[in-house]
Amino acid sequence: MSMTNQNRQARTTLKLVGVVLSMFVFGFALVPLYDIYCQVTGANGKTASAYVVPEEGLAVDPDRWVTVQFLTNNNASMPWSFRPEVRSMKVRPGEMNQTTFFASNPTGYTMTAQAIPSVAPFHAAEYMHKTECFCFEQQVLATGEAIDMPLRFIIDPYLPESVQTLTLSYTLFDITDTTASAAAE
Amino acid sequence: MSAVIENHHDDHHHGPDKGLMRWVLTTNHKDIGTLYLWFSFIMFLTGGCMALVIRAELFQPGLQLVVPEFFNQMTTMHGLIMVFGAVMPAFVGLANWLVPMMIGAPDMALPRMNNYSFWILPFAFSMLLSTLFMEGGAPNFGWTFYAPLSTEYAPPSVTFFIFAVHLMGISSIMGSINVVVTILNLRAPGMRLMDMPLFVWTWLITAYLLIAVMPVLAGVVTMMLMDIHFGTAFFSAGGGGDPVLFQHVFWFFGHPEVYIMILPAFGIVSAIIPTFARKKLFGYDSMVYATASIAFLSFIVWAHHMFTVGMPIAGELYFMYATMLIAVPTGVKVFNWAATMWQGSMTFETPMLFAVAFVILFTIGGLSGLMLAIVPADFQYHDTYFVVAHFHYVLVPGSIFSIMAAAYYWLPKWTGNMYDETLGKTHFWLSFVGVNVTFFPQHFIGLAGMPRRYPDYALQFADWNMVSSVGAFIFGFSQLLFLFIVIKCIMGGKKATDEVWEGAEGLEWTIASPAPYHTFSTPPELPERSMA
Amino acid sequence: MARKESKLGAGQRLKTALQWLIALAALSSSWQALADWSALNMTKGVTAISREVYDLHMLIFTICVVIGVLVFGVMIWSMLVHRKSLGHEPATFSHSTKLEYAWTIIPIFILIGMAVPATSTLRDMYDASGADIDIEVRGYQWKWQYTYLSDDPTQEVKFISSLLTPQDEVYNRTPKREHYLSDVDNPLVIPINKRVRFLITSNDVIHSWWVPDFAVKKDAIPGFVHEAWAIVEEPGVYRGKCTELCGKDHGFMPIVVKAVEQAEYDSWLAMKQQEALQVYETVGKTWTMAELMETGEQVYAQACQSCHQANGQGIPPAFPSLVGQGLAIGPIDAHVDIVVNGKAGSAMQAFAAQLNPAEIAAVVTYERNAWGNNVGDLVQPRAVNALISSEE
């Protein structure tokens, strides 16, 4: 077996090891890529982070009304009480709306929660602009503590005509354990 | 491997060592090939026993033998063991035995790594199997281990499962790097890529697939590990992650993985059919291009496994169209095999029987795959026994039949003895009947509405489940006959000629039977360009 | 192929199975084998969409069968005729550019022929606008919860729907009745000819809500809401299943949808609203030990038994025993707390969302006084209610 052949083999092997390592990294790169994909397509009805209203404002369509339904749920063993002030609102696209959600912690210890929003139908998610939302941050409530959480949002006037009802769901997750372990590190 | 010819060469021992250490320390591609094949057969029987537990429980409605928790462990372990322990190592074993002999190389390019890549496997699978005896039981979340069932809701043994998967991945990656380096660098002088036998071609492409996707599998189980133990939230919505992300990453690995388990089978069948039709393979070039296109398409169709997760309509349509395209190169292959048989001069020895059954039954699996690609219909098929029937048709009479065909086809070359043809044919017919009785009725069960991974079912599914279970036992027990035939062939039998088969072409048929311990220490002179 | 009567005595079913096999082997078009078409093929269903899907299925199926018959026909012909034993000499051709182009291009046109109707059906399925009724469907390990969305919280009908089949039938102690594993205690009720929109989500792991007759199958994913819809045209009872592996009792959480005339639906809804009111009132009264034990036993069978088992012994370590150890004989406050709030990181759910205060009080009392746990104390529904609504 000639030396040059050995070298060639070593080169091929190294290249392949390089491919292996970069594909391992690519696996992790799928995580941010997936987030971009969700933002572009509205997959899973995820909404964007805080919306900044353009200076000139949004054009209000005076003749169009859209129903926005609010759905609240607790995930798994989350014991908090969590409900919206109103179950649904009729809103005009382009106008700013405000409502409130209530949460309280009936347990005997301090807990941290995160609300996860999801919009149905998916393709309406990108037209749901939230300027203020409790879902942008974690909620920490001590024993027996209650909180009023405001939500301010605008429905984009470009919302497709076919969408007359839009469901905004919040699921409340108990993240006390994960935040505690992160703080301990 | 009884008779072995002593042969001196700088890089190697003087023939095999004696005793156990021969197998532990061996760097000989034939020894390692043998180890891989026996290992995969043991795993095949292990996974098969689990399948029989499943089918025995499903013989009748009601729970008779196992509790649902254990049933889920059985379906999970059956899938993992068959995919990673039986089919993949069997193909690697065949590659070890055959690739150097087919391209005129003295051994694999990286013999020491070859040894490691095999010996990792027994540890990986001991670890996986040991989870059955752990508190909380073995993994019970299906071989696709969807989060959060496999993370927040998993039994404690999930950590061992993750390490076992890592080890299997490392083994496969090392094995496939070896295959690529060997094929690219050690071909006999004058053998161009387009002169290589199709088995070598399909393995080259398979190895590239493995190198590309096994690291992604390693990535996804690493993310799981971090979610479970280090407080990250890749797959938990509460922490800002998404359980659907798991499915995307998993199937980015998983779909190419499906083709990893079938491409080498295409190579095997493309070697066997021309031999027994005594006619050159039809459309060699288009076979190579079709294999490459299937491999390419496998990277861009992954989400057809998850049409019901609620993707945007554009995504559903894209994945539907891309998936349907796979039918084109696959069709080319099937038509080429049929055209190879056409106007041939056929005989039907056991390898040919398995190969022809492969073409027909794999095509049935391919056609049901096409049906599954149609999104609106898939909403009705998804996660029912229709899917179970589909992928078992491509994996059992597909991959497994091709492995058996290969075993019968090359056994005389490996052992120097002919296997017992009557017993071989008996084995084929029992397997053929068993497989169809098992899996064909599952199409009906699925269409009638029985979901997969159910330990118990409503009464209207009872008749066909019973038929299916009977078939599974026929198929399962007939594999003991296969074991007997192989052992009998190793022990002795009619001596095989060097060429073995009348119409066989390729370098491996130019060397003695049994193949000497060291072959092609000096590269062979190629006959004029007729390798294909 | 003479039919032999089975002497195995392994029951009528084995005999039927053998008959099926023989009939199928003898001739695949045997009328006996095809007598019960519903056991062999997809349902046509009861919505316009489900019929479209069925037609699409039959179209692709037919195309696949035709392709299969042609390709296999060529191969079988070849195998019968081009044999060495018949003295057939091998031809020498090994490629044909024309033929290879043909069988690459023709399939593309066939595929386009399939893709066109598939695309239009999919577009119809994805348009869920203009719903008359919105129902939230929420998967739990291992049952479904249905909530009829309403602007008025006091009008909101919400209930759990779980398997009705008793364990005795599953474990073969009593004969299996009709609708074995396909019946639930509280079916979902919807009116016919109304567009019903399902908002599908999950409480824990991924489930999948499938009703074949509506051609609706959508994954229920924790944290996210997916929509599906159906306009059911015929009154009837339609049965479905969970189709995503969700743990131990994945096979034991069926779906039953009752489609009824509008008038019947209205009176059912009114009754449900009345029930909700009654539950609220029962919370107020003082219960006796006997009443609590009686109700508690029923609640236990429905909500606790699948994990903690009928004898309370559980399946350790995932589902601990309640007998003679732990919270069940410990302080009653902690016992109520774990039933109300669940236990983070374990399979124990927060039952406050699923059971009313009276049911929780009853089941806690039952657990403390059954299977030889003679703690002797009880908890009143109003105390549980106070705990749940302490913030309001």
Side-chain angles (χ1 to χ4, degrees), chain B residues 393-423:
Chain B
Y393 257 88
V394 291
L395 279 172
V396 185
S399 309
I400 302 274
F401 269 26
S402 82
I403 292 164
M404 292 184 172
Y408 283 111
Y409 185 56
W410 281 290
L411 255 182
K413 177 56 62 188
W414 298 337
T415 63
N417 306 318
M418 297 304 289
Y419 60 87
D420 186 324
E421 191 62 59
T422 314
L423 286 182

mmCIF file of all heavy atoms in Angstrom, chain B residues 393-423:
data_model
loop_
_atom_site.group_PDB
_atom_site.id
_atom_site.type_symbol
_atom_site.label_atom_id
_atom_site.label_comp_id
_atom_site.label_asym_id
_atom_site.label_seq_id
_atom_site.Cartn_x
_atom_site.Cartn_y
_atom_site.Cartn_z
ATOM 1 N N TYR B 393 -44.232 -4.071 4.844
ATOM 2 C CA TYR B 393 -44.044 -4.598 3.489
ATOM 3 C C TYR B 393 -42.715 -4.152 2.893
ATOM 4 O O TYR B 393 -42.060 -4.913 2.183
ATOM 5 C CB TYR B 393 -45.208 -4.208 2.566
ATOM 6 C CG TYR B 393 -46.147 -5.377 2.349
ATOM 7 C CD1 TYR B 393 -47.204 -5.608 3.210
ATOM 8 C CD2 TYR B 393 -45.931 -6.276 1.314
ATOM 9 C CE1 TYR B 393 -48.031 -6.699 3.062
ATOM 10 C CE2 TYR B 393 -46.750 -7.379 1.156
ATOM 11 C CZ TYR B 393 -47.799 -7.585 2.030
ATOM 12 O OH TYR B 393 -48.593 -8.680 1.877
ATOM 13 N N VAL B 394 -42.298 -2.922 3.163
ATOM 14 C CA VAL B 394 -41.009 -2.512 2.607
ATOM 15 C C VAL B 394 -39.845 -2.999 3.454
ATOM 16 O O VAL B 394 -38.733 -3.109 2.963
ATOM 17 C CB VAL B 394 -40.908 -0.982 2.391
ATOM 18 C CG1 VAL B 394 -41.830 -0.553 1.284
ATOM 19 C CG2 VAL B 394 -41.173 -0.224 3.647
ATOM 20 N N LEU B 395 -40.089 -3.300 4.721
ATOM 21 C CA LEU B 395 -38.968 -3.720 5.567
ATOM 22 C C LEU B 395 -38.811 -5.232 5.672
ATOM 23 O O LEU B 395 -37.697 -5.722 5.690
ATOM 24 C CB LEU B 395 -39.117 -3.130 6.975
ATOM 25 C CG LEU B 395 -38.650 -1.689 7.100
ATOM 26 C CD1 LEU B 395 -38.999 -1.117 8.454
ATOM 27 C CD2 LEU B 395 -37.154 -1.596 6.870
ATOM 28 N N VAL B 396 -39.894 -5.966 5.761
ATOM 29 C CA VAL B 396 -39.741 -7.414 5.949
ATOM 30 C C VAL B 396 -39.549 -8.120 4.601
ATOM 31 O O VAL B 396 -38.456 -8.598 4.315
ATOM 32 C CB VAL B 396 -40.883 -8.004 6.790
ATOM 33 C CG1 VAL B 396 -40.607 -9.470 7.062
ATOM 34 C CG2 VAL B 396 -41.015 -7.261 8.102
ATOM 35 N N PRO B 397 -40.575 -8.150 3.744
ATOM 36 C CA PRO B 397 -40.273 -8.736 2.428
ATOM 37 C C PRO B 397 -39.401 -7.808 1.594
ATOM 38 O O PRO B 397 -38.973 -8.181 0.518
ATOM 39 C CB PRO B 397 -41.649 -8.935 1.792
ATOM 40 C CG PRO B 397 -42.567 -8.066 2.520
ATOM 41 C CD PRO B 397 -41.979 -7.723 3.844
ATOM 42 N N GLY B 398 -39.122 -6.615 2.075
ATOM 43 C CA GLY B 398 -38.156 -5.733 1.431
ATOM 44 C C GLY B 398 -36.770 -6.023 1.975
ATOM 45 O O GLY B 398 -36.105 -6.966 1.535
ATOM 46 N N SER B 399 -36.373 -5.252 2.953
ATOM 47 C CA SER B 399 -35.006 -5.368 3.462
ATOM 48 C C SER B 399 -34.642 -6.786 3.910
ATOM 49 O O SER B 399 -33.616 -7.323 3.523
ATOM 50 C CB SER B 399 -34.820 -4.426 4.646
ATOM 51 O OG SER B 399 -35.258 -3.149 4.295
ATOM 52 N N ILE B 400 -35.501 -7.391 4.733
ATOM 53 C CA ILE B 400 -35.144 -8.687 5.312
ATOM 54 C C ILE B 400 -35.025 -9.760 4.222
ATOM 55 O O ILE B 400 -34.098 -10.562 4.226
ATOM 56 C CB ILE B 400 -36.203 -9.112 6.362
ATOM 57 C CG1 ILE B 400 -36.337 -8.068 7.456
ATOM 58 C CG2 ILE B 400 -35.875 -10.476 6.924
ATOM 59 C CD1 ILE B 400 -35.401 -8.162 8.596
ATOM 60 N N PHE B 401 -35.977 -9.764 3.274
ATOM 61 C CA PHE B 401 -35.891 -10.755 2.192
ATOM 62 C C PHE B 401 -34.615 -10.557 1.394
ATOM 63 O O PHE B 401 -33.987 -11.520 0.958
ATOM 64 C CB PHE B 401 -37.120 -10.657 1.272
ATOM 65 C CG PHE B 401 -38.263 -11.556 1.691
ATOM 66 C CD1 PHE B 401 -38.409 -11.951 3.011
ATOM 67 C CD2 PHE B 401 -39.185 -12.012 0.759
ATOM 68 C CE1 PHE B 401 -39.460 -12.767 3.399
ATOM 69 C CE2 PHE B 401 -40.236 -12.836 1.136
ATOM 70 C CZ PHE B 401 -40.374 -13.213 2.457
ATOM 71 N N SER B 402 -34.213 -9.292 1.185
ATOM 72 C CA SER B 402 -32.993 -9.067 0.408
ATOM 73 C C SER B 402 -31.784 -9.581 1.172
ATOM 74 O O SER B 402 -30.857 -10.130 0.585
ATOM 75 C CB SER B 402 -32.829 -7.580 0.093
ATOM 76 O OG SER B 402 -32.255 -6.910 1.189
ATOM 77 N N ILE B 403 -31.800 -9.439 2.497
ATOM 78 C CA ILE B 403 -30.681 -9.935 3.304
ATOM 79 C C ILE B 403 -30.627 -11.458 3.219
ATOM 80 O O ILE B 403 -29.563 -12.065 3.079
ATOM 81 C CB ILE B 403 -30.819 -9.453 4.763
ATOM 82 C CG1 ILE B 403 -30.634 -7.941 4.830
ATOM 83 C CG2 ILE B 403 -29.804 -10.152 5.656
ATOM 84 C CD1 ILE B 403 -31.120 -7.322 6.119
ATOM 85 N N MET B 404 -31.806 -12.092 3.252
ATOM 86 C CA MET B 404 -31.827 -13.550 3.145
ATOM 87 C C MET B 404 -31.386 -13.990 1.757
ATOM 88 O O MET B 404 -30.637 -14.969 1.613
ATOM 89 C CB MET B 404 -33.218 -14.064 3.455
ATOM 90 C CG MET B 404 -33.512 -13.827 4.911
ATOM 91 S SD MET B 404 -35.039 -14.488 5.425
ATOM 92 C CE MET B 404 -34.886 -14.216 7.172
ATOM 93 N N ALA B 405 -31.847 -13.262 0.740
ATOM 94 C CA ALA B 405 -31.404 -13.575 -0.618
ATOM 95 C C ALA B 405 -29.888 -13.503 -0.685
ATOM 96 O O ALA B 405 -29.230 -14.395 -1.232
ATOM 97 C CB ALA B 405 -32.040 -12.602 -1.612
ATOM 98 N N ALA B 406 -29.337 -12.435 -0.080
ATOM 99 C CA ALA B 406 -27.883 -12.258 -0.104
ATOM 100 C C ALA B 406 -27.195 -13.402 0.622
ATOM 101 O O ALA B 406 -26.180 -13.934 0.161
ATOM 102 C CB ALA B 406 -27.521 -10.923 0.545
ATOM 103 N N ALA B 407 -27.756 -13.800 1.764
ATOM 104 C CA ALA B 407 -27.134 -14.873 2.528
ATOM 105 C C ALA B 407 -27.078 -16.150 1.690
ATOM 106 O O ALA B 407 -26.031 -16.792 1.582
ATOM 107 C CB ALA B 407 -27.911 -15.104 3.818
ATOM 108 N N TYR B 408 -28.196 -16.514 1.060
ATOM 109 C CA TYR B 408 -28.198 -17.738 0.244
ATOM 110 C C TYR B 408 -27.277 -17.603 -0.967
ATOM 111 O O TYR B 408 -26.625 -18.551 -1.386
ATOM 112 C CB TYR B 408 -29.617 -18.054 -0.239
ATOM 113 C CG TYR B 408 -30.488 -18.664 0.833
ATOM 114 C CD1 TYR B 408 -31.550 -17.973 1.381
ATOM 115 C CD2 TYR B 408 -30.234 -19.964 1.287
ATOM 116 C CE1 TYR B 408 -32.353 -18.520 2.359
ATOM 117 C CE2 TYR B 408 -31.033 -20.528 2.268
ATOM 118 C CZ TYR B 408 -32.091 -19.803 2.800
ATOM 119 O OH TYR B 408 -32.869 -20.362 3.770
ATOM 120 N N TYR B 409 -27.223 -16.393 -1.521
ATOM 121 C CA TYR B 409 -26.468 -16.173 -2.756
ATOM 122 C C TYR B 409 -24.970 -16.275 -2.501
ATOM 123 O O TYR B 409 -24.228 -16.883 -3.275
ATOM 124 C CB TYR B 409 -26.841 -14.784 -3.285
ATOM 125 C CG TYR B 409 -26.257 -14.418 -4.630
ATOM 126 C CD1 TYR B 409 -26.468 -15.213 -5.766
ATOM 127 C CD2 TYR B 409 -25.527 -13.246 -4.781
ATOM 128 C CE1 TYR B 409 -25.966 -14.844 -6.999
ATOM 129 C CE2 TYR B 409 -25.025 -12.867 -6.015
ATOM 130 C CZ TYR B 409 -25.239 -13.675 -7.121
ATOM 131 O OH TYR B 409 -24.748 -13.301 -8.342
ATOM 132 N N TRP B 410 -24.515 -15.699 -1.383
ATOM 133 C CA TRP B 410 -23.068 -15.655 -1.147
ATOM 134 C C TRP B 410 -22.572 -16.704 -0.147
ATOM 135 O O TRP B 410 -21.366 -16.842 0.042
ATOM 136 C CB TRP B 410 -22.640 -14.244 -0.718
ATOM 137 C CG TRP B 410 -22.525 -13.292 -1.882
ATOM 138 C CD1 TRP B 410 -21.576 -13.313 -2.862
ATOM 139 C CD2 TRP B 410 -23.366 -12.173 -2.180
ATOM 140 N NE1 TRP B 410 -21.790 -12.294 -3.773
ATOM 141 C CE2 TRP B 410 -22.882 -11.570 -3.370
ATOM 142 C CE3 TRP B 410 -24.499 -11.622 -1.573
ATOM 143 C CZ2 TRP B 410 -23.470 -10.447 -3.957
ATOM 144 C CZ3 TRP B 410 -25.082 -10.501 -2.156
ATOM 145 C CH2 TRP B 410 -24.572 -9.919 -3.341
ATOM 146 N N LEU B 411 -23.516 -17.420 0.519
ATOM 147 C CA LEU B 411 -23.085 -18.455 1.492
ATOM 148 C C LEU B 411 -22.072 -19.428 0.888
ATOM 149 O O LEU B 411 -21.058 -19.737 1.530
ATOM 150 C CB LEU B 411 -24.291 -19.241 2.018
ATOM 151 C CG LEU B 411 -24.795 -18.967 3.430
ATOM 152 C CD1 LEU B 411 -25.957 -19.899 3.743
ATOM 153 C CD2 LEU B 411 -23.714 -19.101 4.488
ATOM 154 N N PRO B 412 -22.312 -19.934 -0.322
ATOM 155 C CA PRO B 412 -21.341 -20.870 -0.897
ATOM 156 C C PRO B 412 -19.958 -20.243 -1.032
ATOM 157 O O PRO B 412 -18.941 -20.912 -0.838
ATOM 158 C CB PRO B 412 -21.928 -21.199 -2.267
ATOM 159 C CG PRO B 412 -23.385 -20.913 -2.140
ATOM 160 C CD PRO B 412 -23.487 -19.755 -1.200
ATOM 161 N N LYS B 413 -19.910 -18.951 -1.339
ATOM 162 C CA LYS B 413 -18.622 -18.276 -1.447
ATOM 163 C C LYS B 413 -17.970 -18.135 -0.071
ATOM 164 O O LYS B 413 -16.765 -18.264 0.079
ATOM 165 C CB LYS B 413 -18.846 -16.896 -2.087
ATOM 166 C CG LYS B 413 -17.638 -16.019 -2.229
ATOM 167 C CD LYS B 413 -16.503 -16.667 -2.999
ATOM 168 C CE LYS B 413 -16.881 -16.998 -4.437
ATOM 169 N NZ LYS B 413 -15.823 -17.793 -5.115
ATOM 170 N N TRP B 414 -18.796 -17.875 0.940
ATOM 171 C CA TRP B 414 -18.258 -17.671 2.287
ATOM 172 C C TRP B 414 -17.792 -18.976 2.911
ATOM 173 O O TRP B 414 -16.792 -19.019 3.602
ATOM 174 C CB TRP B 414 -19.326 -17.033 3.190
ATOM 175 C CG TRP B 414 -19.779 -15.678 2.745
ATOM 176 C CD1 TRP B 414 -19.100 -14.817 1.957
ATOM 177 C CD2 TRP B 414 -21.018 -15.046 3.069
ATOM 178 N NE1 TRP B 414 -19.834 -13.677 1.760
ATOM 179 C CE2 TRP B 414 -21.020 -13.785 2.430
ATOM 180 C CE3 TRP B 414 -22.127 -15.403 3.832
ATOM 181 C CZ2 TRP B 414 -22.077 -12.894 2.526
ATOM 182 C CZ3 TRP B 414 -23.181 -14.512 3.935
ATOM 183 C CH2 TRP B 414 -23.162 -13.261 3.287
ATOM 184 N N THR B 415 -18.597 -20.044 2.710
ATOM 185 C CA THR B 415 -18.316 -21.292 3.433
ATOM 186 C C THR B 415 -17.652 -22.336 2.557
ATOM 187 O O THR B 415 -17.115 -23.306 3.077
ATOM 188 C CB THR B 415 -19.630 -21.917 3.953
ATOM 189 O OG1 THR B 415 -20.431 -22.254 2.819
ATOM 190 C CG2 THR B 415 -20.390 -20.950 4.847
ATOM 191 N N GLY B 416 -17.751 -22.185 1.264
ATOM 192 C CA GLY B 416 -17.223 -23.204 0.370
ATOM 193 C C GLY B 416 -18.192 -24.346 0.132
ATOM 194 O O GLY B 416 -17.911 -25.253 -0.648
ATOM 195 N N ASN B 417 -19.332 -24.305 0.794
ATOM 196 C CA ASN B 417 -20.321 -25.380 0.647
ATOM 197 C C ASN B 417 -21.628 -24.832 0.109
ATOM 198 O O ASN B 417 -22.005 -23.703 0.400
ATOM 199 C CB ASN B 417 -20.614 -26.034 1.999
ATOM 200 C CG ASN B 417 -19.347 -26.506 2.669
ATOM 201 O OD1 ASN B 417 -18.463 -27.059 2.011
ATOM 202 N ND2 ASN B 417 -19.236 -26.260 3.964
ATOM 203 N N MET B 418 -22.327 -25.665 -0.663
ATOM 204 C CA MET B 418 -23.670 -25.277 -1.089
ATOM 205 C C MET B 418 -24.620 -25.511 0.078
ATOM 206 O O MET B 418 -24.474 -26.478 0.823
ATOM 207 C CB MET B 418 -24.127 -26.115 -2.290
ATOM 208 C CG MET B 418 -23.282 -25.927 -3.542
ATOM 209 S SD MET B 418 -23.164 -24.214 -4.108
ATOM 210 C CE MET B 418 -24.818 -23.940 -4.737
ATOM 211 N N TYR B 419 -25.587 -24.610 0.213
ATOM 212 C CA TYR B 419 -26.632 -24.852 1.221
ATOM 213 C C TYR B 419 -27.592 -25.900 0.660
ATOM 214 O O TYR B 419 -27.552 -26.214 -0.531
ATOM 215 C CB TYR B 419 -27.361 -23.545 1.542
ATOM 216 C CG TYR B 419 -28.025 -22.943 0.327
ATOM 217 C CD1 TYR B 419 -29.308 -23.332 -0.021
ATOM 218 C CD2 TYR B 419 -27.348 -22.052 -0.504
ATOM 219 C CE1 TYR B 419 -29.897 -22.843 -1.165
ATOM 220 C CE2 TYR B 419 -27.937 -21.561 -1.639
ATOM 221 C CZ TYR B 419 -29.220 -21.960 -1.972
ATOM 222 O OH TYR B 419 -29.812 -21.491 -3.104
ATOM 223 N N ASP B 420 -28.458 -26.410 1.499
ATOM 224 C CA ASP B 420 -29.441 -27.418 1.079
ATOM 225 C C ASP B 420 -30.578 -26.744 0.318
ATOM 226 O O ASP B 420 -31.382 -26.020 0.908
ATOM 227 C CB ASP B 420 -29.961 -28.140 2.334
ATOM 228 C CG ASP B 420 -30.879 -29.301 1.984
ATOM 229 O OD1 ASP B 420 -31.634 -29.182 0.995
ATOM 230 O OD2 ASP B 420 -30.831 -30.316 2.704
ATOM 231 N N GLU B 421 -30.640 -26.964 -0.977
ATOM 232 C CA GLU B 421 -31.589 -26.235 -1.825
ATOM 233 C C GLU B 421 -33.044 -26.523 -1.436
ATOM 234 O O GLU B 421 -33.883 -25.627 -1.406
ATOM 235 C CB GLU B 421 -31.349 -26.598 -3.290
ATOM 236 C CG GLU B 421 -32.071 -25.724 -4.302
ATOM 237 C CD GLU B 421 -31.660 -24.248 -4.248
ATOM 238 O OE1 GLU B 421 -30.466 -23.942 -4.427
ATOM 239 O OE2 GLU B 421 -32.532 -23.406 -4.006
ATOM 240 N N THR B 422 -33.330 -27.783 -1.111
ATOM 241 C CA THR B 422 -34.724 -28.119 -0.758
ATOM 242 C C THR B 422 -35.147 -27.378 0.507
ATOM 243 O O THR B 422 -36.228 -26.782 0.565
ATOM 244 C CB THR B 422 -34.853 -29.637 -0.505
ATOM 245 O OG1 THR B 422 -34.184 -30.301 -1.562
ATOM 246 C CG2 THR B 422 -36.304 -30.050 -0.445
ATOM 247 N N LEU B 423 -34.254 -27.418 1.507
ATOM 248 C CA LEU B 423 -34.588 -26.707 2.742
ATOM 249 C C LEU B 423 -34.686 -25.209 2.476
ATOM 250 O O LEU B 423 -35.555 -24.522 3.021
ATOM 251 C CB LEU B 423 -33.523 -26.976 3.804
ATOM 252 C CG LEU B 423 -33.552 -28.365 4.440
ATOM 253 C CD1 LEU B 423 -32.465 -28.481 5.504
ATOM 254 C CD2 LEU B 423 -34.926 -28.641 5.051
#
